[in-house]
């Protein structure tokens, strides 16, 4: 009987492992060609001032449209790209396009906004990150104050003097740094003391429970007062409902990002929205 069970497990378990491994292997290979084959695109999601409803910035979000796989979500391919270091090249592509786009909007005479770009911690571990960022800004003649770099908390970030130094150099240039998915990572508080982070982005998992879940709302309020005390800018991510927006505005969350205002949009649609300047 035990033998039968063993056989069953083998039959059920192994193919799924194989499919998963195969999927990752395949994605990895096709990712290598994605830039060359022009399969990447940036979408942009606005960040809104909760008081004035002005668009203060946009976050660049990478999209991969593969001819046979279709749309592969970043939550699936970014970890794959991090696994074998491809994220370095991909990240540089994202930065280049995001800066180019922001400059283009300024040249068109649109109200200047901050462009937020997601960086993998791996990019911070590469020795020439500061030079690459500087060169990219120069190339597009974009002033550093219009660029924000988003990074998620991680163990690497916590105890790495090199990363701390890189962050300070970037800030010294005038670039701002945002801590993404705030509240979900590990030992968030201890490193707010070390790093002079400019912006905290409250993770969507807290915003989701607002206002009905007392715990989520309390944690959110605590993060907001912490950010205010440390003079940081605060963004609530994943705001989907009018109730969430109202509750967050009442506790002075200064910026809002989420489907309630807008999903991430292709460049042309974002441009149309920027022409209107305010979201409504
Ligand atoms: P993230 O940086 O936390 O980005 C926010 C994600 O939440 C985006 O998913 C966005 O579309 C989604 N979102 C925004 N508002 C709402 C909302 O109201 N409701 C819901 N349900 N979702 C909302 P997306 O674009 O699928 O990206 C997922 C993650 O992939 C990002 O999470 C980020 O960690 C990563 N990512 C995306 N682009 C890049 C990139 O260029 N470089 C790196 N390193 N990571 C990226
Ligand atoms: Ca982000
Ligand atoms: Ca986030
Ligand atoms: Ca995330």
């Amino acid at each position: 009987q035990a033998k039968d069970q063993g056989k069953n497990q083998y039959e059920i378990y192994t193919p799924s492992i194989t499919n998963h491994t195969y999927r990752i292997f395949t994605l990895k290979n096709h990712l290598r060609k994605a830039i060359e084959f022009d399969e990447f695109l940036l979408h942009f999601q606005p960040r809104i001032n909760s008081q004035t409803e002005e668009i203060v910035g946009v976050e660049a979000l990478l999209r991969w449209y593969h001819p046979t796989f279709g749309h592969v979500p970043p939550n699936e391919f970014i970890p794959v790209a991090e696994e074998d270091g491809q994220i370095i090249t991909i990240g540089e592509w994202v930065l280049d396009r995001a800066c180019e786009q922001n400059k283009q909007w300024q040249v068109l005479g649109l109200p200047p906004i901050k462009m937020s770009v997601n960086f993998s911690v791996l990019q911070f571990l590469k020795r020439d990150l500061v030079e690459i960022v500087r060169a990219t800004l120069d190339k597009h003649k974009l002033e550093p104050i219009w660029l924000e770099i988003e990074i998620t908390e991680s163990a690497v970030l916590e105890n790495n003097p090199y990363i701390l130094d890189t962050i300070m150099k970037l800030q010294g240039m005038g670039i701002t740094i945002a801590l993404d998915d705030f509240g979900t990572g590990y030992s968030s508080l201890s490193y707010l003391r070390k790093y002079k982070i400019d912006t905290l982005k409250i993770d969507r998992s807290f915003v989701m429970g607002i206002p009905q879940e007392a715990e989520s709302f309390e944690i959110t309020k605590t993060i907001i007062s912490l950010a205010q005390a440390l003079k940081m800018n605060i963004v609530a991510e994943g705001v989907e409902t009018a109730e969430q927006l109202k509750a967050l505005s009442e506790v002075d969350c200064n910026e809002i990002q989420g489907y309630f205002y807008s999903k991430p949009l292709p460049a042309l649609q974002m441009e149309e929205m920027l022409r209107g300047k305010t979201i409504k």
Side-chain angles (χ1 to χ4, degrees):
Q1 210 204 346
K3 208 176 172 185
D4 279 356
Q5 269 177 358
K7 194 180 168 202
N8 262 337
Q9 268 178 357
Y10 178 82
E11 281 174 0
I12 294 161
Y13 198 49
T14 308
S16 74
I17 285 275
T18 308
N19 285 342
H20 179 68
T21 311
Y22 180 71
R23 169 90 175 166
I24 289 179
F25 174 80
T26 313
L27 287 181
K28 213 175 265 181
N29 281 331
H30 287 265
L31 261 182
R32 285 198 194 96
K33 295 282 178 192
I35 291 179
E36 186 187 329
F37 292 169
D38 215 12
E39 293 164 1
F40 284 141
L41 199 68
L42 292 182
H43 279 187
F44 304 92
Q45 188 179 33
R47 252 161 72 171
I48 314 291
N49 179 305
S50 59
Q51 301 306 312
T52 63
E53 293 202 310
E54 275 182 331
I55 300 168
V56 287
V58 296
E59 178 176 3
L61 292 155
L62 184 57
R63 296 291 176 259
W64 181 23
Y65 297 97
H66 186 273
T68 49
F69 307 146
H71 173 248
V72 185
N75 282 332
E76 186 174 13
F77 74 79
I78 296 282
V80 174
E82 283 177 330
E83 219 172 80
D84 68 350
Q86 291 190 61
I87 192 65
I88 304 281
T89 317
I90 295 173
E92 287 169 10
W93 183 91
V94 171
L95 178 69
D96 183 68
R97 292 306 158 95
C99 290
E100 179 180 56
Q101 183 62 73
N102 204 19
K103 182 65 188 190
Q104 197 181 315
W105 283 332
Q106 291 182 4
V107 168
L108 286 172
L110 298 170
I113 51 162
K114 187 94 93 174
M115 174 67 70
S116 286
V117 179
N118 292 285
F119 272 37
S120 162
V121 173
L122 281 182
Q123 291 174 264
F124 274 84
L125 294 171
K126 215 186 157 225
R127 294 285 139 173
D128 57 359
L129 179 72
V130 175
E131 282 65 43
I132 284 178
V133 172
R134 200 193 308 273
T136 308
L137 290 170
D138 284 353
K139 174 182 169 192
H140 299 295
K141 301 190 170 59
L142 183 69
E143 283 176 87
I145 54 159
W146 303 119
L147 176 64
E148 182 156 88
I149 291 173
E150 295 190 8
I151 183 165
T152 39
E153 2 174 12
S154 81
V156 200
L157 200 56
E158 170 78 355
N159 279 316
N160 191 311
Y162 175 72
I163 296 182
L164 177 60
D165 183 58
T166 302
I167 287 181
M168 282 166 48
K169 278 183 180 144
L170 293 169
Q171 288 175 321
M173 287 165 61
I175 294 163
T176 54
I177 305 288
L179 212 45
D180 207 351
D181 304 343
F182 190 75
T184 59
Y186 109 126
S187 71
S188 324
L189 297 181
S190 73
Y191 76 54
L192 288 183
R193 199 172 49 179
K194 263 189 256 175
Y195 295 77
K196 300 278 170 275
I197 299 294
D198 302 281
T199 301
L200 285 189
K201 300 192 80 175
I202 306 174
D203 192 67
R204 184 163 67 89
S205 58
F206 299 106
V207 174
M208 257 163 40
I210 294 174
Q212 70 281 5
E213 274 174 31
E215 287 84 1
S216 296
F217 200 17
E218 286 309 317
I219 293 171
T220 302
K221 282 192 265 187
T222 305
I223 297 176
I224 292 171
S225 24
L226 177 73
Q228 285 166 343
L230 297 178
K231 306 218 165 12
M232 290 186 283
N233 189 24
I234 183 108
V235 184
E237 292 192 300
V239 176
E240 294 186 355
T241 68
E243 292 72 45
Q244 290 167 345
L245 176 65
K246 184 167 177 285
L248 287 161
S249 310
E250 279 168 8
V251 294
D252 291 331
C253 180
N254 42 357
E255 288 182 29
I256 302 290
Q257 186 178 343
Y259 294 172
F260 178 76
Y261 281 121
S262 173
K263 293 199 170 196
L265 300 171
L268 271 178
Q269 275 169 265
M270 192 62 240
E271 190 177 308
E272 284 308 304
M273 194 178 273
L274 288 173
R275 282 184 205 289
K277 187 157 163 125
T278 56
I279 198 91
K280 290 282 161 72

